[in-house]
Amino acid sequence: MQDQRAHPSAAAGPRRGPGGRRAGHGPPWRGRHDGGEGPGGLGRFAGRAWRGDRLPWPSTVVVGVIVMVGTTVAAHGQDREPLGLVARLLLLAAVALLLVRHRHPVVAVAGTSAATLVYLGLGYPYGPVFLAVAVGCFSAIVSGHRKAAWWSLGTLWAGHLLVAHWLYRWLPPDGDGPAPWGQEAFITAWVVAVVAAAELLRVRREQWAAARAEREAAEKRRADEERLRMARELHDVLAHSISVINVQAGVGLALLDSDPEQARTALTTIKSASKEALGEVRQVLENLRTPGDAPRAPAPGLDRLPELVDQAAGAGLTVTVVTDGARGPVPPGTDLAAFRIVQEALTNVVRHSGSRTARVRIAYGREHLGLLVDDEGPATGDDAGGSGNGLIGMRERAAALGGTIDAGPRPDGGFRVTAELPLRPGRGGPAARDETGTEGTT
């Protein structure tokens, strides 16, 4: 067992600032994740993100060229009406409506299907005009207007069936007979294939959008956690240093006339504590401004506990440190959390306890690190042992590592803080008391 004692006359030593890295910020996901068809549905949101706001001129021109040239070529060998001005205008209308397929997908798919149905009803040759219908159907389904696409495509299929097997008697070309059922089977398969491919694309886009939303939410969550960690670091640094400065300032004012030398010592302690606090704050702020850079100084740990004891002594607090067990490898996160918990506990003794002595016990076990900080009291105000962010920060540090912490008044009027922190990654939760040796210590 090792016993370290420090007295109020001890000088404060230098301290280094903790390192850290700020997580990237991503915009919060504002779309619904239900894949619905309404304006707020994920499918439609994904469609807007995919398509942009500009008219799709290049792709529409490509489709128009294919339809016009392909229909001219396909007309040879078909006993249908010749391609005249009306046929060209209908083909052009079917393609031109695709320009609004991003902003008004329902209008695009319905108008293209209607123009194609009129074109076929007037007896013009079959050809790549169905390509325009497929493009309109894809845009409508991907953007979330599934029912509109199904109705338009179903109407086109049913209308063509009526024209090919019933209305052909009264429609051009003259002498035309019913269409072969093999052709109808092919058209039906084509309709089913277009709908299936569009639905598959819609599902994939919704999956991609959901994965992107999850990544952005995780990034935002990491950013919030990092901001909370930075706030805890700043609170621990400033609360401890300002408490020391406040006590020493009071000593300096009280002894300024009667004991100038002791007042000079208090001012020297104030200068040292404020310089160290500024250094640590600057380190945290530099990490905020330049995320991803390696910290210039290592994070504090229990190896700097003597410096912390000396600083407490400078504030008039006599601290006794007792160590149980042999110290082995301590993970950096556990080391930093243990240092900050002891720092906050001693700061609370300085600020809220009438006792000028404190006892710190550190127990190294096989699985856990045990901490105990005691003061004799009594409390100097209503906030015995501290309140608000200090105790909350200690509990958050312990919980983040999978450890436990307990802080509260003792029956004899003092205050006690006990903590158990894991020494192995992933081994959180309470440990056996006999491993850490903290049971029954005072």
Side-chain angles (χ1 to χ4, degrees):
M1 176 183 294
Q2 301 175 357
D3 193 344
Q4 304 175 11
R5 293 180 181 269
H7 299 280
S9 57
R15 297 165 63 188
R16 299 187 184 93
R21 184 178 67 82
R22 187 189 187 194
H25 290 269
W29 187 262
R30 295 185 174 90
R32 286 169 48 198
H33 293 191
D34 56 3
E37 299 175 16
L42 179 57
R44 186 171 298 180
F45 186 93
R48 285 199 298 265
W50 158 61
R51 65 188 177 232
D53 293 328
R54 292 180 293 181
L55 294 177
W57 283 102
S59 59
T60 304
V61 170
V62 171
V63 172
V65 171
I66 294 175
V67 168
M68 292 296 185
V69 176
T71 303
T72 302
V73 174
H76 296 288
Q78 294 189 40
D79 189 14
R80 307 283 290 176
E81 287 290 305
L83 291 174
L85 178 61
V86 176
R88 297 291 182 182
L89 290 177
L90 287 172
L91 292 176
L92 182 62
V95 174
L97 285 168
L98 296 179
L99 286 173
V100 299
R101 67 181 184 272
H102 291 171
R103 298 179 181 177
H104 306 287
V106 175
V107 173
V109 68
T112 301
S113 299
T116 303
L117 182 58
V118 173
Y119 172 87
L120 296 176
L122 294 178
Y124 294 116
Y126 293 100
V129 64
F130 295 108
L131 176 62
V133 178
V135 173
C137 180
F138 265 78
S139 297
I141 290 180
V142 169
S143 62
H145 299 279
R146 302 165 63 192
K147 291 182 179 180
W150 295 346
W151 275 105
S152 298
L153 210 57
T155 301
L156 175 60
W157 176 81
H160 174 267
L161 198 65
L162 288 175
V163 170
H165 293 276
W166 182 41
L167 299 179
Y168 68 90
R169 300 180 180 88
W170 302 281
L171 295 175
D174 295 333
D176 191 18
W181 286 104
Q183 174 181 294
E184 296 305 325
F186 173 79
I187 294 177
T188 302
W190 173 85
V191 170
V192 173
V194 168
V195 172
E199 288 289 345
L200 177 62
L201 180 60
R202 177 189 64 82
V203 171
R204 291 299 302 272
R205 288 194 179 278
E206 290 184 359
Q207 291 174 347
W208 295 335
R212 183 168 59 248
E214 185 176 352
R215 288 195 301 270
E216 291 174 352
E219 186 178 357
K220 183 178 182 296
R221 193 162 52 247
R222 287 193 297 269
D224 293 339
E225 291 171 355
E226 188 68 10
R227 283 194 293 268
L228 179 60
R229 190 190 68 81
M230 291 290 184
R232 274 201 305 262
E233 291 293 329
L234 288 174
H235 172 272
D236 292 345
V237 170
L238 295 177
H240 178 76
S241 301
I242 291 176
S243 295
V244 172
I245 291 172
N246 180 62
V247 171
Q248 291 298 321
V251 172
L253 287 174
L255 301 177
L256 185 61
D257 296 326
S258 60
D259 192 349
E261 192 61 31
Q262 187 65 26
R264 180 186 297 274
T265 302
L267 292 175
T268 302
T269 303
I270 290 174
K271 179 181 178 181
S272 175
S274 60
K275 181 179 179 181
E276 292 159 5
L278 287 174
E280 293 204 22
V281 170
R282 187 179 295 112
Q283 177 72 34
V284 174
L285 294 180
E286 285 177 355
N287 290 327
L288 286 173
R289 294 191 183 99
T290 56
D293 291 354
R296 299 181 181 180
L302 290 177
D303 56 339
R304 288 181 50 194
L305 189 57
E307 301 174 16
L308 187 61
V309 171
D310 289 341
Q311 284 193 347
L317 184 66
T318 300
V319 181
T320 301
V321 179
V322 178
T323 303
D324 289 343
R327 174 170 179 169
V330 179
T334 301
D335 206 19
L336 173 61
F339 178 84
R340 292 301 189 198
I341 288 172
V342 174
Q343 182 186 53
E344 179 64 27
L346 294 180
T347 300
N348 288 337
V349 175
V350 173
R351 296 173 61 186
H352 304 290
S353 176
S355 175
R356 294 296 88 194
T357 62
R359 180 181 176 88
V360 178
R361 188 183 185 93
I362 303 173
Y364 294 96
R366 292 187 302 273
E367 303 288 343
H368 289 79
L369 172 68
L371 300 174
L372 184 144
V373 182
D374 262 329
D375 73 272
E376 302 298 330
T380 57
D382 295 334
D383 296 333
S387 64
N389 294 329
L391 295 180
I392 293 174
M394 287 194 291
R395 292 190 177 96
E396 288 175 345
R397 286 185 183 276
L401 297 171
T404 59
I405 191 167
D406 184 34
R410 303 190 318 185
D412 58 0
F415 197 86
R416 171 174 292 177
V417 176
T418 59
E420 284 184 350
L421 304 176
L423 287 176
R424 296 184 184 181
R427 297 296 296 270
R433 297 291 181 181
D434 55 357
E435 277 193 31
T436 59
T438 58
E439 181 72 10
T441 55
T442 57

